[in-house]
């Protein structure tokens, strides 16, 4: 018969497990000073229904050796809700006793919820408005979506000029508004395909109006149903010109052949490129 | 002379189902030649394997019934005269085809590995969730609630001494979480809890060693009024082997083997004889330490009526508390030093998995581990008449009194004054059981049992 070990390792230091977590509450009440409440990636479910914020642990924080750390002496940590922290568990795999060692500085991005909420607010400029008259009144939300789109297509393998061709056209056509015919002004058939596509990610059909899913759908179309557009786009080295990315997307992806890429569309594409510069 | 029907067990129904079979269940009852099922007190589920004779190409891939390892197989076993069921319909999952042997072109014997359906599903339900309550309530919640195991919870015999706690299950399977909580649970005497399952009820039992020992002999409805004898009377053995249900003159234990007993060195190495545990609450900077001594622990168990007492001493034969090493009994030494840390108020007003209110509860953690290991040094392997277990619906977690005669050749059996081997006889906890059902034969039952106490007082 095997040896029974109901106790973990003999010495606590032999069982180390580190973690990265998000601070959800950095304003502890009386008696909990110097602690933060954290949700640990890979240990704590993201579903609030599984682990409500109230049930998350108040982690202790290691402070520099230049601080006393006894009986309230020394400086307090300055973490805030949303901080990303690094630490370890005092109890290894059981993962009940977290200690924070430090924080990881990061750039803040809008959350999924914040992005979804963007659609509830009208933009200030009408679709197709020349860029020269809108730059000063453009909303921050639209700029963020333009920036996010550029990063998305560059991360998907396109050059900056190629990505700018896609993003400038989407910006001009829809202002990135996902409701109605979507960010690429899809016809009914393509819109129905978008709904089917969105269900691969989430079961709720209404999330076909999610901005990130629509970006993924643009990429999906370019790689499946719109391979001619994609092939020509991959050969484009500039934004401008007959073989440029702006004209290629307008003509072969948006399917708006009634007019050439106007100066306005080019301006939106160049503006998109500047997001990365 | 026999008052019982000597018919074998009956496998009344074995059906394989799967969504892939298009609502056409496959009844293989008549094709089963052998079924083996395993119970173990450390496992809250059953495992096993089943031999199926396929002489009509059922599983050769040409028909509907291809086995992929997710099929459900429902098994029902009746007792010999239908006065009781050995196993009500129980759902297993086929996890793999253990082997397939073709005797000729027209037939093959397939052996499927089986596990309880909820054990299979358990691996698909790894979860992270905060749970609150006493250890027993948390386990009951995982077993019956939360849409995790969805099976039954049995054997409630009082909750653990650990107080209400809040834990966050760190992406464990439901059964993994149950074992994790179980290992934290002790009685107020420092005795461990076990989680197990048996043939008779599909589900999870949760029961303390105190309850098992304190309950004493727990198999009723047997002709021996509490004692399972093992004798060397070959005249009786032959007849007994033919009988489905034992008669008073039969030996119930048919074969026995004593192996790897009294391995005191193993106990010393695990810290089960003497050890120290310490805890440092990092926030409070309050260290706690507690010394564990098997001698003090067994004496405490005797004082509390858990194990017998004799001449004001605990009646146990596991730890040698007389012999000296460098002038001191071995239980004076601490062969292991367990060091752990805790953090105060991590979960607010609730205790965490580690919080112990006092040093006694801290020591319980070592005591429960030590007792589990001690049990294993007094183990035997034996083959038993299975009819008695079936009629009493007894399995692992139950206690039986085993009686062994002395090897003393001068023992005069004709006088009726048999000399009892008091070292080996006593109350035994049924630790693991393997049931083997072969068609048209008496079931074989191989048992590993661990001795709890010398309760044979004749």
């Amino acid at each position: 018969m095997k040896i029974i070990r109901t106790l973990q390792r003999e010495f606590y230091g032999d069982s180390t497990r580190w973690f990265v977590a998000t601070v959800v509450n950095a304003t502890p009440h009386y008696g909990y000073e110097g602690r933060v409440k954290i949700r640990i990636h890979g240990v704590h479910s993201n579903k609030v229904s599984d682990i409500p914020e109230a049930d998350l642990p108040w982690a202790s924080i290691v402070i520099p050796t230049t601080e006393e750390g006894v009986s309230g002496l020394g400086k307090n940590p300055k973490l805030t809700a949303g901080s990303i922290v690094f630490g370890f568990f005092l109890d290894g795999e059981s993962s009940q006793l977290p200690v924070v060692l430090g924080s990881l500085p990061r750039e803040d991005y809008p959350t999924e919820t914040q992005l979804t909420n963007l659609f509830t607010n009208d933009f200030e400029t009408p679709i197709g408005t020349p860029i020269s008259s809108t730059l000063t009144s453009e909303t921050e939300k639209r700029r963020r979506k333009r920036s996010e789109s550029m990063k998305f297509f560059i991360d998907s393998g396109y050059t900056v000029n190629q990505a700018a061709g896609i993003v400038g056209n989407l910006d001009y056509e829809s202002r990135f508004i996902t409701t109605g015919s979507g960010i690429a002004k899809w016809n009914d058939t393509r819109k129905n395909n978008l709904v089917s596509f969105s269900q691969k990610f989430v079961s709720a059909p209404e999330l076909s109006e999610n901005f990130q899913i629509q970006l993924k759908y643009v990429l999906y179309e370019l790689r499946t149903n719109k391979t001619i557009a994609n092939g020509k786009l991959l050969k484009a080295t500039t934004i401008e010109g007959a073989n440029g990315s702006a004209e290629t997307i307008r003509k072969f992806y948006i399917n708006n052949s009634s007019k050439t890429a106007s100066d306005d569309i080019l301006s939106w594409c160049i503006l998109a490129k500047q997001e990365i510069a | 002379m026999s008052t019982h029907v000597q018919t074998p067990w009956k496998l009344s129904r074995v059906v394989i189902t799967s969504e892939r079979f298009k609502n056409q269940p496959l009844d293989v009852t008549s094709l089963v030649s052998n079924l083996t099922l395993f119970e173990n007190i450390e496992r809250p589920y059953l495992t096993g394997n089943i031999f199926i004779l396929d002489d009509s190409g059922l599983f050769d891939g040409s028909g509907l019934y291809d086995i992929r390892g997710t099929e459900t197989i429902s098994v029902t076993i009746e007792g010999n005269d239908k006065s009781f069921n050995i196993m009500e319909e129980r759902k297993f999952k086929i996890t793999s085809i253990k082997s397939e042997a073709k005797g000729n072109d027209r037939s093959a014997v397939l052996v499927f590995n089986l596990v309880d359906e909820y054990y299979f599903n358990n691996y698909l339900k790894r979860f992270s969730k905060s749970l609150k309550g006493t250890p027993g309530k948390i386990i009951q919640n995982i077993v019956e609630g939360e849409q995790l195991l969805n099976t039954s919870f049995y054997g409630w015999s009082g909750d653990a001494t650990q107080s209400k706690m809040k834990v966050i299950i760190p992406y464990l399977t439901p059964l993994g979480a149950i074992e994790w909580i179980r290992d934290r649970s002790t009685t107020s005497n420092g005795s461990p809890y076990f989680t197990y399952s048996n043939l008779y009820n599909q589900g999870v039992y949760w029961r303390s060693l105190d309850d098992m020992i304190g309950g004493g002999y727990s198999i009723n409805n047997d002709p021996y009024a509490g004692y399972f004898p093992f004798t060397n009377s070959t005249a009786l053995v032959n007849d007994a082997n033919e009988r489905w249900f034992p008669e008073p003159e039969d030996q119930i234990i048919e074969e026995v083997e004593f192996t790897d007993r009294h391995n005191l060195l193993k106990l010393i190495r695990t810290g089960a004889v003497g050890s120290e545990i310490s805890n440092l609450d990092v926030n409070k900077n309050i260290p706690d330490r507690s010394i564990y001594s098997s001698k003090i622990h067994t004496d405490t168990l005797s004082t509390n009526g858990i194990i017998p007492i004799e001449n004001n001493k605990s009646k146990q034969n596991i730890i040698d508390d007389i012999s000296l090493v460098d002038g001191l009994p071995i239980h004076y030494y601490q062969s292991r030093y367990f060091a752990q840390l805790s953090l105060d108020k991590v979960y607010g007003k609730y205790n965490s998995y580690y919080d112990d209110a006092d040093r006694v509860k801290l020591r319980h953690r070592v005591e429960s581990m030590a007792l589990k290991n001690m049990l294993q040094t007094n183990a035997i392997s034996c083959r038993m008449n299975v009819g008695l277990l079936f009629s009493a619906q007894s399995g692992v977690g139950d206690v039986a009194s085993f009686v062994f005669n002395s090897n003393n050749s001068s023992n005069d059996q004709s006088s009726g004054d048999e000399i009892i081997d008091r070292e080996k006889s006593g109350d035994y906890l049924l630790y693991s059981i393997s049931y083997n059902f072969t068609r048209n034969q008496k079931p074989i039952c191989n048992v590993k049992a661990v001795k709890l106490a010398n309760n044979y007082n004749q």
Side-chain angles (χ1 to χ4, degrees), chain A residues 1-4 6 10 12 31-32 35 42-45 50-51 54-55 57-58 60 90-91 94 96, chain B residues 128-130 132 166 168 171 180 270 283 336-339 341 343-348 354 369 373 376:
Chain A
M1 290 185 182
K2 66 176 183 179
I3 292 173
I4 305 289
T6 57
E10 193 166 1
Y12 56 83
Y32 289 76
R35 299 191 190 215
V43 171
H44 298 155
S45 167
D50 285 338
I51 308 177
D55 285 353
W58 284 104
S60 290
L90 284 182
D91 56 336
S94 287
Q96 302 299 300
Chain B
S128 166
K129 194 172 179 63
S130 60
K132 296 184 271 284
K166 184 197 287 182
I168 296 182
Y171 282 110
W180 182 61
T270 60
N283 288 120
R336 296 289 291 267
Y337 182 91
F338 299 100
L341 301 174
L343 285 174
D344 182 41
K345 296 192 287 194
V346 175
Y347 295 96
Y354 294 95
M369 176 274 295
N373 282 309
Q376 298 192 357

Side-chain angles (χ1 to χ4, degrees), chain B residues 207-271:
Chain B
R207 201 171 166 204
S208 71
L209 184 63
D210 280 359
D211 189 48
M212 295 169 183
I213 299 174
Y217 175 79
S218 57
I219 296 177
N220 299 313
N221 189 27
D222 75 86
Y224 292 91
Y227 297 105
F228 287 8
F230 175 78
T231 69
N232 297 318
S233 172
T234 53
L236 291 175
V237 168
N238 291 334
D239 285 345
N241 279 343
E242 298 300 318
R243 268 195 278 279
W244 156 254
F245 196 89
E247 294 298 322
E249 70 274 21
D250 289 348
Q251 58 181 39
I252 295 176
I253 302 170
E254 297 166 352
E255 282 182 13
V256 65
E257 185 180 11
F258 301 88
T259 56
D260 195 26
R261 301 170 71 240
H262 296 304
N263 190 339
L264 198 59
L265 180 58
K266 185 162 88 174
L267 290 181
I268 290 171
R269 292 170 64 185
T270 60

